[in-house]
Amino acid sequence: MKSKALAAVGVTVVAALALAGCSAGGSSSSGSSTKLHIYAWSGEIPDSVIQGFEKETGITVSVDNFDSNETMISKLAAGNSGYDVVEPSQYAVPLMVQRDLLAKIDKSKLEGFDNIAEKFVNPSFDKNNEHSIPWVWGTTGILYNEDCTGAPVTGWKDLWNEKYKGKIYMLDNMLSAYIGGMQVKGLSATSTKKDEIEKGTQALIEQKPLLAGYNSDNYADLVATGDACIAEAYSGTAAAKAVASNPSVHYIIPEEGGTLWTDSFSIAKNAPNEDAAYKWLNYTLKPEVAAKLTDDGASASANEAALKLVKDQTQVTNPAIYAPADSLKKSEFIVDPGKALAYYQDGWTRVRAS
């Protein structure tokens, strides 16, 4: 359920990066901190994790939430944010590093990094995890009702099948929609080539007459009830609930690839409570703590060692929370398209007008 990791990437990021050359203010603490200020996505840090950290360390935690990576970047770029730990999505990490908004993580101060699942170690967007420690992850894939489709669905091509005309939904988000539009043509969802993006645009224009609409809100409910046969979908609570409530509803990663997203904990440059920030990283790297993200937050943890400690193992086996590893071999991390964003915006305008 991560439109946030994909929404209008680069539109307001560009504005944030165009700000005057300021970096987050404050001075790094070398002593023992009693406070920790976190800037994170809503709903991604269960209260049980915060309460456990406070009890173990005696450090008081305050958490503010942002509604987009762009908001978070702008806040830190303005200077003197006062935040110690921030939670950027994958595409935001290199943008923040370019602006010198994140501190390089001293691996000698970390305990438990080897608990992180291999697919999140040394990712393309953050070499050697120098500025980010993965916390939560998810996917963009397909949700379908087999009672409606009449057969198993395997890939994006099924969302272009005239058999399901009027019962197909695509996500109401530009770059999310282009994931299917690009990959159904055998192209990378992260392409920055004008001619390839044009092929993705044409695929979406060809698909438009088959759609019931673009929907990022209640598509999971519609699939669960059979009012829709098939939908492009975000993993997470809504899709997981649909899968759990109806044995005919399935969430899959399309054979063409689909995409991965991850939100990570990073230390803000010049964090006023840097020692407390490292204590937070080490605490959340504990498998028993990371397991609470699934038990209490219904989200997928990037901590491989945490999976066996999740109390409700039906959440671990629910593909709408934890996609099977073998289905992710072709999945891509969505990254900032940079100047190519204009090609996507132009194409999206034509798709919506078609």
Side-chain angles (χ1 to χ4, degrees):
M1 195 167 59
K2 293 293 175 181
S3 56
K4 67 191 184 195
L6 307 169
V9 178
V11 178
T12 48
V13 166
V14 172
L17 298 182
L19 292 173
C22 301
S23 60
S27 58
S28 178
S29 170
S30 59
S32 179
S33 301
T34 59
K35 296 181 180 180
L36 179 69
H37 304 293
I38 300 175
Y39 201 24
W41 291 102
S42 177
E44 289 195 349
I45 306 177
D47 290 341
S48 57
V49 172
I50 295 171
Q51 292 164 2
F53 177 77
E54 290 181 327
K55 182 177 180 180
E56 180 171 303
T57 64
I59 295 171
T60 300
V61 178
S62 64
V63 180
D64 290 333
N65 299 131
F66 52 81
D67 58 3
S68 71
N69 284 289
E70 293 71 40
T71 297
M72 182 261 298
I73 291 173
S74 294
K75 180 75 171 179
L76 267 65
N80 299 310
S81 73
Y83 293 116
D84 304 301
V85 173
V86 294
E87 193 193 9
S89 299
Q90 76 281 347
Y91 79 82
V93 173
L95 294 172
M96 296 177 77
V97 171
Q98 290 170 18
R99 292 294 296 144
D100 198 26
L101 298 176
L102 299 179
K104 186 174 181 179
I105 294 172
D106 184 348
K107 293 291 182 60
S108 70
K109 294 182 179 181
L110 292 184
E111 299 173 6
F113 182 76
D114 56 348
N115 291 325
I116 297 297
E118 184 179 355
K119 62 178 169 285
F120 302 114
V121 175
N122 192 27
S124 60
F125 58 86
D126 185 25
K127 184 179 180 181
N128 297 321
N129 299 91
E130 291 184 344
H131 298 90
S132 64
I133 304 299
W135 169 242
V136 58
W137 69 279
T139 57
T140 303
I142 298 171
L143 188 71
Y144 74 96
N145 187 324
E146 193 166 351
D147 286 341
C148 184
T149 61
V153 164
T154 60
W156 293 124
K157 65 182 181 298
D158 292 298
L159 280 85
W160 271 256
N161 190 332
E162 291 190 4
K163 178 180 177 181
Y164 311 130
K165 183 176 181 179
K167 292 214 167 186
I168 303 171
Y169 282 97
M170 291 289 281
L171 289 165
D172 189 13
N173 175 277
M174 181 181 73
L175 290 183
S176 295
Y178 267 95
I179 294 169
M182 298 294 285
Q183 291 186 344
V184 78
K185 292 295 187 180
L187 304 169
S188 170
T190 65
S191 176
T192 57
K193 297 179 180 179
K194 185 176 181 179
D195 62 330
E196 292 187 348
I197 296 169
E198 179 59 27
K199 290 179 182 178
T201 298
Q202 290 304 314
L204 293 174
I205 290 174
E206 291 166 7
Q207 181 199 42
K208 187 81 175 288
L210 305 179
L211 297 182
Y214 290 97
N215 184 337
S216 294
D217 298 322
N218 68 335
Y219 61 84
D221 293 334
L222 295 171
V223 172
T225 60
D227 291 316
C229 290
I230 185 171
E232 181 185 25
Y234 300 125
S235 66
T237 306
K241 182 179 178 181
V243 169
S245 67
N246 186 339
S248 295
V249 174
H250 308 284
Y251 179 86
I252 66 159
I253 302 301
E255 61 188 1
E256 298 92 342
T259 58
L260 282 165
W261 58 262
T262 183
D263 295 335
S264 302
F265 289 133
S266 298
I267 298 177
K269 191 68 176 286
N270 298 321
N273 303 292
E274 187 180 87
D275 59 316
Y278 275 102
K279 288 179 180 178
W280 174 263
L281 294 184
N282 288 330
Y283 182 76
T284 53
L285 279 168
K286 293 182 178 182
E288 64 271 22
V289 174
K292 294 179 181 179
L293 177 62
T294 301
D295 276 326
D296 300 336
S299 297
S301 170
N303 191 311
E304 185 75 27
L307 301 191
K308 63 183 180 182
L309 301 179
V310 173
K311 295 176 183 177
D312 183 0
Q313 283 292 307
T314 63
Q315 297 204 72
V316 176
T317 57
N318 189 327
I321 299 178
Y322 286 94
D326 60 357
S327 71
L328 299 173
K329 293 178 181 178
K330 293 173 145 184
S331 296
E332 303 176 83
F333 277 113
I334 289 294
V335 294
D336 175 47
K339 294 180 180 179
L341 179 68
Y343 304 143
Y344 286 101
Q345 291 173 320
D346 172 70
W348 187 236
T349 298
R350 287 186 282 131
V351 170
R352 297 309 296 262
S354 65

